[in-house]
């Protein structure tokens, strides 16, 4: 996995998380509690993916010196 | 930076300290370190956004436990003539609600916090509709469904029971109709 792909993945997770946060707030105000859990799971998983991708990127970036 | 054959940007073929002072001004390095900082910020943003959804889930979990409804007196029928409404709180003190006596004599009750951004919704007797003045949201009086404006969800329906001239709230349906 190249550094470029890592960048791509990280930006995709940002996009996903922005949408998830917006939907979570809407579902919360709409009292649709079941949906909130789904959004939170997606949001947290995508945050974890972002972090793992960051570690991967860091390895590539700092060992290729 | 000791590679003499391939001279980078800002490099002079000399070992003189006073000439190679520009070493710390390398544009490529600058770009690289900025890119790194940028990516780190991006990762931080993504994680922060993802985790920001968690408190809502926690709140939702706590809120779900209290789905028990008490039979609560709202008003006496005599106090709410046709074409008027009264406000009350149901099921908790944080849930404003509206009891409506329509011109035809129907009794209806909804939570009155607009599902758009929580402004209070009003009963408009002339046109027999529910209006949110904040961003011009309109709801159907008989179903609580959004008709126009930004709201996308119906108003939670409060189930009522009328006996001996008193209107009671007995339950709530968030999804209905
Ligand atoms: S808060 Fe009711 S329309 Fe925006």
């Amino acid at each position: 996995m190249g550094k470029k792909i890592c960048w791509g993945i990280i930006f995709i997770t940002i996009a996903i998380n922005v949408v998830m946060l917006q939907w979570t707030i809407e579902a919360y105000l709409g009292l649709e509690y079941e949906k909130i859990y789904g959004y939170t799971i997606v949001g947290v998983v995508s945050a974890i993916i972002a972090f793992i991708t960051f570690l991967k990127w860091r390895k590539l970036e700092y060992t290729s010196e | 930076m000791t590679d003499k054959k391939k001279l980078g940007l800002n490099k002079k073929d000399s070992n003189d300290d006073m000439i190679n002072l520009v070493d710390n001004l390398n544009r490529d390095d600058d770009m690289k370190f900025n890119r790194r900082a940028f990516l780190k910020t991006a990762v931080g943003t993504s994680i922060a956004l993802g985790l920001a959804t968690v408190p809502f889930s926690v709140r939702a979990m706590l809120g779900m436990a209290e789905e028990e409804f008490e039979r609560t007196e709202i008003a006496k029928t005599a106090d709410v003539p046709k074409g008027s409404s009264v406000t009350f709180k149901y099921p908790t003190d944080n849930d404003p609600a509206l009891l409506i006596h329509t011109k035809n004599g129907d009794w209806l009750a909804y939570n009155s916090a607009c599902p758009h951004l929580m402004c209070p919704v009003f009963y408009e007797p002339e046109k027999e509709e529910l209006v949110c003045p904040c961003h011009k949201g309109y709801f159907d009086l008989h179903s609580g469904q959004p008709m126009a404006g930004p709201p996308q969800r119906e108003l939670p329906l409060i189930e009522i029971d009328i006996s001996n001239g008193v209107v009671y709230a007995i339950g709530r349906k968030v999804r209905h109709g």
Side-chain angles (χ1 to χ4, degrees):
Chain A
M1 193 163 64
K3 286 194 266 181
K4 285 255 166 61
I5 299 177
C6 291
W7 278 76
I9 292 174
I10 286 166
F11 279 98
I12 291 169
T13 65
I14 295 181
I16 293 174
N17 282 349
V18 168
V19 175
M20 284 308 131
L21 184 57
Q22 149 128 25
W23 286 1
T24 305
I25 294 171
E26 273 186 21
Y28 183 77
L29 296 183
L31 303 175
E32 292 170 298
Y33 291 154
E34 327 74 46
K35 287 192 185 172
I36 299 179
Y37 303 133
Y39 299 149
T40 297
I41 291 166
V42 176
V44 170
V45 167
S46 121
I48 292 169
I49 291 173
F51 188 62
I52 292 171
T53 313
F54 170 69
L55 295 180
K56 174 87 188 161
W57 169 86
R58 202 174 60 171
K59 220 166 135 204
L60 293 170
E61 173 84 5
Y62 290 90
T63 52
S64 66
E65 299 252 308
Chain B
M1 309 292 165
T2 49
D3 190 358
K4 298 260 168 49
K5 275 151 238 150
K6 249 181 70 197
L7 289 172
L9 214 64
N10 294 331
K11 291 287 181 333
K12 296 282 179 302
D13 193 7
S14 158
N15 279 332
D16 192 315
D17 276 349
M18 294 315 279
I19 286 180
N20 280 328
L21 269 181
V22 288
D23 264 1
N24 58 350
L25 290 178
N26 190 305
R27 190 168 136 266
D28 289 341
D29 275 351
D30 230 26
M31 291 279 283
K32 188 158 83 188
F33 295 135
N34 277 336
R35 262 202 303 270
R36 286 176 178 175
F38 181 66
L39 187 75
K40 284 171 193 166
T41 315
V43 172
T45 309
S46 182
I47 293 173
L49 287 169
L51 296 185
T53 61
V54 173
F56 290 96
S57 271
V58 174
R59 281 290 299 272
M61 254 178 237
L62 299 178
M64 261 182 158
E66 63 191 35
E67 274 304 66
E68 275 165 30
F69 297 111
E70 283 164 34
R71 185 185 172 90
T72 315
E73 181 179 333
I74 303 173
K76 306 230 173 350
T77 49
D79 297 340
V80 190
K82 284 182 185 181
S84 73
S85 63
V86 291
T87 55
F88 61 104
K89 297 276 190 347
Y90 193 83
T92 72
D93 269 355
N94 299 321
D95 299 292
L98 197 59
L99 173 71
I100 303 144
H101 195 184
T102 68
K103 285 185 186 162
N104 313 335
D106 293 335
W107 292 89
L108 298 159
Y110 301 102
N111 274 127
S112 60
C114 178
H116 178 225
L117 291 174
M118 314 304 266
C119 281
V121 171
F122 293 97
Y123 168 55
E124 177 66 69
E126 283 87 58
K127 296 195 193 119
E128 291 270 281
E129 61 192 6
L130 297 165
V131 186
C132 174
C134 284
H135 313 99
K136 297 222 165 28
Y138 290 89
F139 301 87
D140 186 284
L141 181 60
H142 293 276
S143 68
Q145 298 290 332
M147 312 253 292
Q152 296 295 316
R153 292 182 174 84
E154 67 261 47
L155 296 169
L157 177 82
I158 291 176
E159 295 163 308
I160 49 178
D161 177 45
I162 302 173
S163 56
N164 298 328
V166 178
V167 188
Y168 297 93
I170 54 172
R172 176 169 77 166
K173 282 204 189 105
V174 175
R175 299 273 82 83
H176 58 84

